[in-house]
Amino acid sequence: MSKRDQFASKIGFILAAAGSAIGLGAIWKFPYMAGTNGGSVFIILFILCTLVIGLPILVAEFMIGRRGQSDAVTSFKKQAPRTPWFLTGWLGFILSGIILSFYSVVGGWILSYLVRAIGFKLSSNDENFFAELFGNLTLNAWEVVLAQGAFLLIVILIISSGIQNGVEKASKWMMPLLFVFFIILAIRSMTLDGAMDGIKFMFVPDWSYLTGKTLLLALGQAFFSLSVGVAAMLTYASYLKKDVRLGSSAMNVAWMNIGISILAGLVIFPAVFALGFSPDQGPGLVFIIIPAVFQHIPLGSIFLIIFFILLLFATITSAIAMLEIVVATAMGSKFEKRKKYAWLCGIGIFIIGIPSALSFGKLADVQILGRSIFDFADFFTNSIGMPIGALLMALFAGYQLKRAEQLEELPVKPWVFTIWRILVRYVAPIAIIIVLYQGIKG
């Protein structure tokens, strides 16, 4: 039996964990959520919610994972034998598979756009061109399914190479490039004539947006953007050595996630305002508005290629975490069979995801509780599954683990530990229950 893999370095783990968190949530969802909810006020609330609610749960998940040194299911079985807590691990397994099944569809769209961008086919003076392009792409059954498969193939190849040679190596070069590309694009966007209106939108608060609804949306964004609740962070932390400090690692991941989200805003909003577009375009912002914005920028075609490359990197790093949870759970202690399980799980998720890929075309008439297959998978995982998963993580770390066990994994100053314990035992669960209620209600 081969030995269980581990991260070779702390920075490798932080970049991999940050990659899991920094996906479409930061680059695609954050800008349109901020754009439709007042900009700066939403951003302030998002930062506060990330640090007060998201960070304590992230630490909790790290704690459970490193203590277990196993896949999610086995970790709970080791730490709470003869109890139903192991079902939390299976919940993460199921949620990760469903998330990756529709997430890979969006990854396929990004690949399709990138291929067109590289071929300089994303250029038109027709203002309806990009809306029609996106509509035609999602209706093209062969292209969306093949692109989804191509995206998953990349992820499978990385996962099959293991933690050090696959996940860690990929994260070590993709994440720094992600930051570099974003900084280049942000500088270009902020130097456009009229860009200051977009910067003001992001950093000068309009307090009329300070409402309960905005707070709830910011809490949901902070919560989901850290990838907590699906055992992704638990699984990554299970490959950690004991000398890595969990508190500082979690803080680094949280700040990197906030940083990329703000950089995404600095790429998008100054350009959107400078060129007369509206910031409240919703989910179509990345695939319809952004390509149109780049049409009006010198060397826009080159910058558009860079944008879709970094969007692809961010999507891949999150997808890696999702597939790793499924593979780690499926293979258990059969570490030598990682490649086999990576392919089996990847192909299985591809098949499960085909209905989501076709839900905008051939299966558009198929509805589940009034939603398309794609939208239902998104709703079920984001609004119900992830909050339940995160609530269970917080309760397990806060109540099932003894104080001495918590201190062993989190050797920080007494007052820091006390604050974390209060947040994870009381504040975070209440906040999660509110998000869960609103998600089911909405």
Side-chain angles (χ1 to χ4, degrees):
M1 186 184 295
S2 59
K3 187 181 175 184
R4 193 168 195 267
D5 211 347
Q6 280 193 319
F7 283 104
S9 63
K10 177 182 175 180
I11 188 64
F13 164 70
I14 290 171
L15 290 174
S20 172
I22 299 165
L24 291 176
I27 301 173
W28 169 61
K29 193 174 182 183
F30 176 82
Y32 85 71
M33 288 295 288
T36 52
N37 292 287
S40 56
V41 169
F42 179 87
I43 293 168
I44 292 167
L45 293 174
F46 163 73
I47 293 170
L48 288 173
C49 290
T50 297
L51 298 177
V52 175
I53 308 298
L55 183 58
I57 302 173
L58 182 60
V59 172
E61 221 173 300
F62 281 174
M63 189 179 286
I64 299 165
R66 188 167 69 178
R67 279 183 58 79
Q69 291 288 299
S70 307
D71 63 87
V73 174
T74 308
S75 283
F76 283 104
K77 284 183 176 179
K78 279 184 178 179
Q79 296 173 70
R82 298 180 298 281
T83 70
W85 278 111
F86 73 93
L87 295 173
T88 307
W90 282 117
L91 176 64
F93 172 86
I94 293 166
L95 290 174
S96 296
I98 297 173
I99 290 170
L100 186 52
S101 73
F102 72 83
Y103 199 85
S104 58
V105 174
V106 183
W109 296 346
I110 295 166
L111 270 178
S112 293
Y113 266 70
L114 179 58
V115 169
R116 286 176 171 82
I118 291 171
F120 296 103
K121 293 179 180 177
L122 289 181
S123 178
S124 175
N125 293 321
D126 181 357
E127 61 183 24
N128 297 316
F129 173 78
F130 293 103
E132 290 174 3
L133 171 66
F134 186 63
N136 291 334
L137 168 63
T138 56
L139 289 171
N140 187 327
W142 282 106
E143 182 172 359
V144 290
V145 171
L146 287 173
Q148 175 205 4
F151 176 82
L152 273 170
L153 178 62
I154 297 169
V155 180
I156 290 168
L157 291 171
I158 293 169
I159 288 295
S160 64
S161 298
I163 296 300
Q164 285 188 27
N165 294 321
V167 176
E168 187 167 0
K169 276 187 178 177
S171 300
K172 272 187 170 179
W173 67 265
M174 277 197 278
M175 291 307 296
L177 281 174
L178 192 69
F179 275 98
V180 171
F181 282 172
F182 254 131
I183 290 167
I184 291 170
L185 286 176
I187 291 170
R188 183 67 195 94
S189 182
M190 289 188 292
T191 52
L192 292 169
D193 290 338
M196 188 53 66
D197 287 337
I199 296 171
K200 285 179 180 176
F201 178 75
M202 284 187 67
F203 297 113
V204 178
D206 177 353
W207 296 112
S208 66
Y209 283 94
L210 186 58
T211 63
K213 179 189 174 187
T214 309
L215 174 60
L216 197 64
L217 291 170
L219 177 59
Q221 176 65 23
F223 177 64
F224 300 127
S225 68
L226 279 178
S227 286
V228 291
V230 293
M233 297 308 189
L234 184 158
T235 303
Y236 274 178
S238 74
Y239 299 112
L240 260 187
K241 296 171 183 174
K242 286 290 185 182
D243 59 349
V244 175
R245 297 178 68 88
L246 296 185
S248 62
S249 296
M251 186 66 80
N252 286 329
V253 170
W255 279 114
M256 286 175 75
N257 187 47
I258 290 169
I260 280 286
S261 297
I262 291 174
L263 272 175
L266 287 173
V267 169
I268 291 168
F269 293 124
V272 165
F273 275 89
L275 300 167
F277 290 92
S278 173
D280 58 353
Q281 294 294 322
L285 193 65
V286 163
F287 292 103
I288 298 172
I289 301 301
I290 295 305
V293 165
F294 279 106
Q295 295 301 298
H296 302 277
I297 298 175
L299 299 176
S301 295
I302 302 299
F303 285 112
L304 192 57
I305 292 171
I306 294 173
F307 177 78
F308 279 111
I309 287 173
L310 67 86
L311 192 59
L312 181 64
F313 284 176
T315 312
I316 286 172
T317 53
S318 289
I320 288 169
M322 297 298 116
L323 185 56
E324 177 58 30
I325 300 161
V326 177
V327 171
T329 305
M331 74 178 177
S333 60
K334 300 172 186 174
F335 310 127
E336 73 281 0
K337 295 186 177 180
R338 169 177 280 273
K339 285 187 179 180
K340 173 186 173 183
Y341 280 99
W343 282 99
L344 286 174
C345 294
I347 292 169
I349 288 169
F350 168 69
I351 293 168
I352 293 168
I354 290 174
S356 287
L358 300 179
S359 66
F360 300 88
K362 291 187 179 298
L363 298 180
D365 294 333
V366 178
Q367 300 277 305
I368 304 173
L369 299 179
R371 293 177 170 85
S372 69
I373 297 169
F374 182 99
D375 289 338
F376 178 77
D378 186 14
F379 165 76
F380 174 75
T381 52
N382 280 306
S383 299
I384 299 173
M386 289 178 75
I388 291 173
L391 177 61
L392 292 172
M393 297 285 183
L395 294 176
F396 185 89
Y399 293 96
Q400 181 69 27
L401 295 183
K402 296 180 176 63
R403 184 184 180 91
E405 293 170 330
Q406 296 168 344
L407 280 166
E408 183 185 348
E409 291 296 327
L410 197 62
V412 293
K413 292 179 180 178
W415 66 270
V416 174
F417 177 78
T418 300
I419 290 173
W420 171 81
R421 206 159 185 261
I422 290 169
L423 291 174
V424 85
R425 284 166 67 98
Y426 307 110
V427 179
I430 292 169
I432 293 167
I433 289 168
I434 293 170
V435 169
L436 179 60
Y437 170 75
Q438 289 295 329
I440 295 171
K441 180 184 166 186

